[in-house]
Amino acid sequence: MPWNEAVLPASASSSSATLVPGQVTAHGSNGPQVRQYEYRGACVIVAAGEYDMGSITPLSEVLHTAAKQYPKVILEACDVTFADSTFLNLLLLTHQRGTLRLVAPSAQVRRVCEITGVDSVLDIRQTIEDAAAS
């Protein structure tokens, strides 16, 4: 199965999801991975792995570009295994640039957002379908 079929949410049909150029940025097999595709006019970015000052650049570049090109950016973070203040800062900067929806954050990301109060600033949704619809 191609990676893009594995990434599409169960609720996304192949007719409503479109791949975006420059879809994959990977840093080693254990490093952070960033994938993106278009869904219902929004840019969906799927982040996986650990994000800190040394590894945030690929995600930062993709989020920055998406925020300039799309009215809505959706970040799926269920596979983010570590996130520090660098990651949170990136989310807040992206939120300031436009509409950002954080979808299904991992327990670690959710906890960091709760501790810092970022969860009261960001729009956190459970599904990509819900994030794209509103």
Side-chain angles (χ1 to χ4, degrees):
M1 169 185 317
W3 75 265
N4 56 342
E5 290 177 17
V7 171
L8 292 176
S11 59
S13 70
S14 59
S15 62
S16 62
T18 306
L19 299 178
V20 177
Q23 301 146 22
V24 177
T25 304
H27 287 262
S29 60
N30 295 329
Q33 297 180 1
V34 180
R35 299 179 200 102
Q36 69 186 83
Y37 59 94
E38 186 177 297
Y39 180 68
R40 295 189 175 180
C43 183
V44 178
I45 298 167
V46 181
E50 298 181 358
Y51 291 95
D52 58 22
M53 189 182 335
S55 62
I56 199 75
T57 301
L59 181 59
S60 177
E61 290 171 351
V62 170
L63 282 170
H64 178 74
T65 300
K68 290 192 310 187
Q69 295 177 351
Y70 289 88
K72 188 182 301 178
V73 177
I74 300 168
L75 176 63
E76 181 182 298
C78 62
D79 291 326
V80 174
T81 56
F82 176 80
D84 68 1
S85 61
T86 308
F87 180 84
L88 292 179
N89 188 48
L90 175 60
L91 296 184
L92 292 171
L93 288 172
T94 305
H95 172 72
Q96 289 175 342
R97 289 184 181 127
T99 301
L100 173 68
R101 305 272 195 264
L102 181 61
V103 172
S106 65
Q108 198 278 334
V109 171
R110 183 172 293 280
R111 182 73 176 134
V112 170
C113 287
E114 289 171 355
I115 289 170
T116 60
V118 169
D119 62 332
S120 66
V121 176
L122 296 179
D123 190 350
I124 301 174
R125 305 293 176 98
Q126 292 303 309
T127 66
I128 291 170
E129 179 74 24
D130 181 38
S134 57

